[in-house]
Amino acid sequence: MGASVSVQGLRIVAGEGDAGQVIVHDLSFAVKPGEVLALIGESGSGKTTTALALMGYAREGCRIAAGTVDIGGVDVLSLDGEGQRRLRGRTVAYVAQSAAQSFDPSRTLIDQVTEPARIHGLMSPAAAKAKALALFHELALPDPDHIGERYPHQVSGGQLQRIMAAMALITDPDLIILDEPTTALDVTTQIEVLRAFRRVVRERRATAVYVSHDLAVVAQMADHILVLREGRMREWGGTNRVITAPQDDYTRRLLAAARPEVQEVAPARGETELLLEVRDLAAGYGPLDAAGRHQVPILQDIQLRLHRGQAIGVIGESGSGKTTLARAIAGLVKPSGGSILFNGSYLAPTLANRRKDELRRIQIVFQMADTALNPAHTIEAILARPLQFFHGLRGAPLQARIGELLDLVKLPQSLRQRRPSGLSGGQKQRVSLARALAAKPDLILCDEVTSALDTVVGAAILELIADLRRTLGVSFLFISHDMHTVRAVCDEIVVMQGGRKLTQIARADYARGPHHPYYELLSRSVPELRTGWLDELPATDAPELAV
């Protein structure tokens, strides 16, 4: 059974003493037992910082300076260290945005799921295992009686996210915090995860705080919405009222940006020039057999042509081969067959054998900025490296160009000396994009670059991509699970399933049909910005996730 949550005058400060910067300003709100409250807002608005404070936790370099957090009659902020350790994982549980980063790769899933129950001494190992298996069934995981014997790398992202939910729920917490739990998932997987989360929360009458930048997802999950900007409350109310009749200008901006407009790009000079051609590409992982095929084949017979200034979107479920295609083009995965031509010349299959100018002209922006940015380096050092390596910049010209790149991706100059751990997820992704732009490339391979961004910043990034195409003739291969984003920014859409290209659809035909049935399934699976959409969606529209 859920507990009441009451937050009064919460203030969180970054830095020490009087020089500290307030990042959450005297925030007050309440959640009734069994209700779901959504925290929404731009990256850096204080959503996750506020959610973590409900556990009495502040990120490194931050401190809770004032206020109270009451959960079921317990004053969380007055607890000592031992009291907060008893609270975390027992009274309050947390489901992080990146499940892959939250699991120990050397331990089985069942061992990690049962750990909170063992740490808090709530039940015997046998009872904890039985409860974990029951949760696996409840969360609709495939092969629920045996999936726990696997290791984290042996399950899909959607399955791992649900397994993390089982870890959070095994102690029967009074409050569960869900921090962007479906951000990195494809649309069909997201439906299954949302259904599982919502069913468990409703049946257990758990109180939940759902952190998200995706308003369409929030519309399916939350009873109430709290809108944050720069650590201040801008609006609070019932979900349907906030979505249909927002009272604050900022909320209206968020809603307007939730569905990006189509970016009309005038043909750039030389746009008809063929820049990239992929011929009969095959790729995979593991050793090669006698026929030269990978032990684990991923891509088969991929054909693709991309012209200068063009943007092609690649969509498909997890495991369809989207990212492997981008990595093969980038030289990070060695193809087992076929060839890749760039500007009319054959590319060497791996980075080690490509010329420096080829490395510069093809850049990749990875999906997970957390693992793509060196945690030991400042943002200034991260952006300086490609500028020094490719363009030989030093001194004042180097510093000036770093400033231009930060402005280009809408990041403040004050972030120069921070490390990635001091940035929000959306800010880190923008640093990754700025690093790619530093090389002045001809082609940018974008792997889910807006998945971690809020709607306003995501829309700004799409406008930036359109501007780069117009002014510089930069081409994009845009991998995404967000159909709205792909339609907004791309001239054509390539649909992939099981490592094969099923179809390719031009912009002029997006609204025409019928298209390939799998494309139609993906299109229907994009959440709509209204309450009740998930309830109306037939169960058959979201296929069972692959084992």
Side-chain angles (χ1 to χ4, degrees):
M1 191 69 175
S4 61
V5 177
S6 176
V7 175
Q8 296 294 324
L10 179 66
R11 185 186 312 150
I12 302 174
V13 176
E16 299 295 331
D18 296 336
Q21 176 186 359
V22 179
I23 55 177
V24 173
H25 297 258
D26 302 321
L27 197 60
S28 299
F29 61 88
V31 191
K32 294 179 181 178
E35 289 187 338
V36 178
L37 172 69
L39 301 179
I40 68 170
E42 294 177 72
S43 299
S45 63
K47 305 186 300 292
T48 295
T49 301
T50 299
L52 291 173
L54 301 180
M55 300 189 292
Y57 178 81
R59 290 172 169 171
E60 183 179 356
C62 299
R63 57 190 172 87
I64 300 174
T68 61
V69 175
D70 185 291
I71 300 176
V74 175
D75 185 354
V76 173
L77 302 185
S78 68
L79 297 175
D80 59 15
E82 179 59 31
Q84 290 187 348
R85 282 190 289 274
R86 288 196 299 269
L87 175 96
R88 296 168 187 165
R90 174 65 184 92
T91 303
V92 184
Y94 181 74
V95 177
Q97 178 175 346
S98 175
Q101 282 194 306
S102 304
F103 281 88
D104 184 336
S106 67
R107 296 167 58 199
T108 63
L109 294 168
I110 192 73
D111 185 46
Q112 297 182 68
V113 168
T114 56
E115 186 175 49
R118 298 198 308 271
I119 288 174
H120 291 283
L122 298 177
M123 59 192 79
S124 68
K129 182 177 180 179
K131 186 164 186 177
L133 295 182
L135 283 166
F136 292 164
H137 280 271
E138 198 172 345
L139 288 163
L141 283 158
D143 193 17
D145 293 328
H146 300 99
I147 195 171
E149 299 165 12
R150 300 182 188 180
Y151 290 86
H153 69 279
Q154 295 176 315
V155 300
S156 72
Q159 292 164 8
L160 200 58
Q161 206 72 346
R162 285 182 282 173
I163 290 166
M164 179 177 258
M167 186 192 301
L169 291 165
I170 197 166
T171 60
D172 292 321
D174 295 321
L175 172 65
I176 181 168
I177 299 169
L178 300 151
D179 191 355
E180 300 273 15
T182 64
T183 290
L185 304 181
D186 61 72
V187 288
T188 53
T189 304
Q190 177 177 255
I191 288 172
E192 291 303 308
V193 173
L194 287 176
R195 281 175 166 158
F197 282 175
R198 194 175 64 172
R199 181 174 61 250
V200 169
V201 167
R202 285 180 173 178
E203 290 177 357
R204 290 171 174 266
R205 295 292 298 162
T207 306
V209 171
Y210 196 100
V211 177
S212 182
H213 65 264
D214 192 327
L215 290 164
V217 167
V218 163
Q220 315 314 315
M221 293 293 296
D223 300 296
H224 303 280
I225 291 176
L226 191 158
V227 182
L228 287 169
R229 189 184 188 196
E230 297 178 345
R232 291 184 170 88
M233 182 189 297
R234 295 297 295 262
E235 186 162 353
W236 182 91
T239 299
N240 191 59
R241 199 278 299 160
V242 172
I243 288 175
T244 59
Q247 298 175 353
D248 187 83
D249 287 341
Y250 177 65
T251 308
R252 286 191 280 271
R253 284 176 52 202
L254 288 177
L255 290 165
R259 290 294 176 255
E261 297 180 359
V262 173
Q263 301 292 329
E264 296 292 346
V265 179
R269 179 182 297 176
E271 184 175 335
T272 57
E273 175 189 348
L274 183 61
L275 182 68
L276 175 74
E277 185 175 7
V278 177
R279 298 177 180 172
D280 305 313
L281 187 69
Y285 298 93
L288 298 176
D289 61 19
R293 295 184 296 263
H294 279 102
Q295 187 180 59
V296 183
I298 303 295
L299 298 177
Q300 300 177 64
D301 304 320
I302 300 297
Q303 314 284 340
L304 183 69
R305 292 164 63 91
L306 186 147
H307 292 78
R308 186 173 298 278
Q310 188 181 24
I312 291 181
V314 182
I315 64 170
E317 293 177 279
S318 298
S320 64
K322 305 186 302 294
T323 294
T324 301
L325 173 60
R327 292 174 70 86
I329 294 170
L332 298 172
V333 171
K334 184 178 180 179
S336 56
S339 55
I340 302 171
L341 285 80
F342 188 75
N343 206 33
S345 300
Y346 286 93
L347 282 176
T350 61
L351 282 176
N353 296 316
R354 292 185 183 179
R355 299 190 306 272
K356 183 177 180 179
D357 190 57
E358 290 174 335
L359 299 178
R360 179 191 68 79
R361 296 177 70 185
I362 301 176
Q363 294 290 306
I364 186 168
V365 180
F366 297 98
Q367 178 178 355
M368 299 305 298
D370 280 325
T371 57
L373 301 177
N374 191 324
H377 290 178
T378 64
I379 304 308
E380 184 174 273
I382 289 170
L383 297 182
R385 187 167 184 179
L387 294 172
Q388 294 167 334
F389 180 75
F390 289 120
H391 305 295
L393 294 184
R394 298 289 188 275
L398 174 65
Q399 295 301 317
R401 182 56 180 157
I402 291 171
E404 291 173 0
L405 289 169
L406 290 172
D407 289 342
L408 197 60
V409 296
K410 313 294 191 216
L411 284 173
Q413 300 293 320
S414 59
L415 298 185
R416 281 174 177 256
Q417 298 308 316
R418 288 196 196 176
R419 288 177 170 77
S421 61
L423 273 60
S424 70
Q427 290 170 332
K428 282 181 278 196
Q429 192 61 287
R430 281 178 278 168
V431 171
S432 294
L433 183 59
R435 181 174 61 180
L437 292 169
K440 294 187 177 179
D442 294 325
L443 170 63
I444 299 180
L445 309 168
C446 295
D447 190 358
E448 300 278 11
V449 296
T450 59
S451 66
L453 303 181
D454 60 79
T455 55
V456 172
V457 175
I461 292 296
L462 297 184
E463 290 174 5
L464 169 60
I465 288 172
D467 185 59
L468 291 169
R469 291 177 60 199
R470 276 190 295 264
T471 58
L472 303 178
V474 178
S475 302
F476 289 86
L477 191 69
F478 201 93
I479 292 167
S480 180
H481 63 261
D482 187 335
M483 186 75 74
H484 291 287
T485 296
V486 171
R487 285 173 171 168
V489 79
C490 296
D491 304 304
E492 298 182 19
I493 294 177
V494 169
V495 183
M496 293 184 63
Q497 185 182 39
R500 292 184 180 274
K501 175 181 169 182
L502 297 183
T503 186
Q504 187 161 343
I505 303 167
R507 171 176 286 181
D509 297 323
Y510 287 175
R512 303 171 187 170
H515 295 299
H516 191 283
Y518 183 63
Y519 174 85
E520 299 290 354
L521 169 63
L522 294 176
S523 185
R524 289 195 304 271
S525 299
V526 179
E528 295 180 11
L529 188 51
R530 59 182 178 84
T531 57
W533 172 83
L534 189 60
D535 295 319
E536 299 167 9
L537 191 70
T540 53
D541 258 11
E544 178 57 47
L545 302 177
V547 179

